[in-house]
Every structure is written in C-alpha cells, then in structure tokens.
Amino acid sequence: MPQETTLTAGPPVVPRWSGAQYLLLRNVWVHKGHGPWTMALYSIFEPILYLLAIGVGIGRLVGDIEGVDVGYAAFVAPGLLATAVMNSALHETMESAFVKFTFDRFYRSVLSTPVSLTGVVVGEVAWSVLRGLISGAGFLLVITVFGLVSWPWALLSLAGTVLVAFAFGGAGLAVTTWIKAWHDFQWVQLVLLPMFLFATTFYPVTVYPGPVQVAVELLPLYHAIQLLRSCALGDLGPDLWVSVAYLTVMGVLGLVVARWRWARILLH
C-alpha cells in the first residue's frame, strides 16, 4: 500500500505592504475627535490670512502684472493652496513621525505585530495624503466661495492636491530619518521659508533673470504651485505634465528612500 505523503504548511505569504491600511485607520481613529473640518481649519488658517493680507489687500495696490491674465488674488490663491497641502503632509511625516519614533517608540511596537516595515512607510504616507486632501478641500471651499476659482476647476485642483501631498509626504518621511533632535527642524524651516517666498507663490517666475528662473524651476514647491495653479485657472498646457512627472518621481523616490532608511534604523 503506497505510503501517504504529509504536507507541512509553511508560513503564510504576507505582502510586503501588509498592514498599511491598519496604520492608516489607526491614524484616522486617533484624530477622529478633531473631525476633518477641524483639521482643515487648523491647516488653512495661516494661508487664508496670507490670502486676505496679500492676495486681496496688497492685490488692490499691485494692479496688472506682466504674464498674469487673472486678478492678483486668483493668482496667489493656488500658491497658498499648494503651501497648505505641503505643510499638512510634512507635519504628519516629520514632526508627528519624529514624536512617534523618538518618544512614543510607536514604530518598534508596530513592527512586533503583523504590520510590515513597508506597511508602516506606506501607511504613514497614505495618512499624510489624506491630511493634505482634507486641508486642500477646506482651502478650496474658501477660495471658491470668494469667487477665485470655479467649481469644475476646483474639483480638478482637489485631485492635484493628492499628488502634491504624496510628493511631500514621501519626501518628509525620508528626511525625518536624519532628524536627531527638535532643533534640527530649524534646518527644515530654513529650506521651507525661502522656498515659500520665492517659488512663485506671489509672482510669476518671469520676474527673475534667466539663471535664477532655472534654479526656481527646480524647487518642488514651484511644481506643486504650477500644478495647482494650472488646474485652478484651467490652463492645462504641457507644463502641467512636467510638474505631474516631477511630483510623481519625488513621491516615489521619497517612499524608496524612506523604506531604506527606516529599515536601517528600526531593524538593526
């Protein structure tokens, strides 16, 4: 009589991104007491002040600007939208991630569960995208009420905020791996503040001389502003797709570097 063969089941195959959805749900649950519109209000308060003070207030004194075919407030609003989305995404993958790692020991605890390291990285970036989307929705609602963007283009701009949040969320989670103490965030602000001021938030890139234009066009916030400004104003030219490609590559590289760096920190 033939001898029966006993098959021993091996460990289940778990996707590399396992647990990303659970980390995302955990972050949503932790912040559920604030509510989406409360989070949006916190994120857009400062940009709205800039819009009122500069876009509306100073805009009355500026008049027509060469290369700008719309009112000054309508030109500035998408730049402030991009800034609000960037700040929301970076907050979740930088300051918040730093606290989770340094003080809460959160990530080491999570890795003792079936959640994989890739799941942690993907889940945190997904949460930053959701936060950016909430901030973008709140800001878009305000500028639409102000009449600075029409509803069809507002919906297209809302889709653009997802890509902007993804790009900065991935980059922020990667950069956080080099942050050792709170004072290191001053270096981050040293980069973000000049980028906010010079990346065409308040005026077109054509005001700069040629070599400076090239430098400005390399800034990630410049491409975020170009994407959302093109969407908000309905200017869907070839430059839009350059910004889409730039931000997509930035987000993917951020994920790859973040996965590599967090593996060195958490698994050794």
Side-chain angles (χ1 to χ4, degrees):
M1 185 173 181
Q3 187 176 8
E4 294 183 1
T5 302
T6 302
L7 297 178
T8 303
V13 178
V14 180
R16 290 176 59 86
W17 57 87
S18 173
Q21 71 275 22
Y22 300 120
L23 196 69
L24 175 61
L25 289 174
R26 177 264 175 196
N27 287 331
V28 172
W29 179 262
V30 168
H31 291 81
K32 68 180 178 65
H34 299 290
W37 293 112
T38 303
M39 289 190 289
L41 180 62
Y42 290 157
S43 302
I44 68 177
F45 183 70
E46 183 179 353
I48 287 177
L49 291 180
Y50 276 110
L51 179 62
L52 293 174
I54 298 177
V56 179
I58 297 179
R60 295 180 180 274
L61 306 175
V62 170
D64 295 333
I65 302 176
E66 184 179 353
V68 177
D69 299 326
V70 296
Y72 186 66
F75 176 81
V76 170
L80 296 175
L81 169 63
T83 304
V85 174
M86 176 190 73
N87 288 336
S88 294
L90 288 179
H91 172 74
E92 295 301 331
T93 55
M94 296 199 74
E95 290 96 334
S96 181
F98 178 74
V99 170
K100 289 176 184 177
F101 171 72
T102 305
F103 301 103
D104 297 342
R105 309 296 184 189
F106 172 74
Y107 295 127
R108 294 189 184 277
S109 300
V110 167
L111 290 178
S112 64
T113 72
V115 178
S116 66
L117 179 61
T118 303
V120 169
V121 172
V122 173
E124 288 291 65
V125 173
W127 168 241
S128 74
V129 171
L130 180 58
R131 284 284 281 115
L133 181 62
I134 292 172
S135 299
F139 194 86
L140 276 168
L141 178 62
V142 172
I143 63 178
T144 302
V145 171
F146 283 176
L148 301 178
V149 61
S150 61
W151 275 111
W153 299 124
L155 295 177
L156 185 60
S157 301
L158 187 63
T161 62
V162 174
L163 182 56
V164 173
F166 168 66
F168 283 100
L173 195 61
V175 171
T176 302
T177 60
W178 280 279
I179 300 293
K180 303 301 182 184
W182 281 114
H183 60 77
D184 291 337
F185 284 104
Q186 296 178 9
W187 296 104
V188 177
Q189 291 301 319
L190 192 61
V191 174
L192 293 182
L193 181 57
M195 188 165 61
F196 166 65
L197 294 175
F198 296 106
T200 71
T201 308
F202 302 108
Y203 40 78
V205 71
T206 52
V207 303
Y208 296 115
V212 179
Q213 287 187 29
V214 174
V216 170
E217 290 171 355
L218 294 176
L219 298 174
L221 183 57
Y222 167 81
H223 288 281
I225 292 172
Q226 288 298 107
L227 172 62
L228 297 185
R229 185 169 283 152
S230 297
C231 292
L233 301 180
D235 182 16
L236 308 182
D239 290 345
L240 170 69
W241 301 108
V242 174
S243 296
V244 167
Y246 181 105
L247 294 170
T248 301
V249 172
M250 176 180 168
V252 171
L253 283 178
L255 276 176
V256 172
V257 174
R259 171 63 176 79
W260 169 63
R261 286 286 300 167
W262 282 110
R264 290 173 59 89
I265 294 172
L266 294 173
L267 302 182
H268 293 88

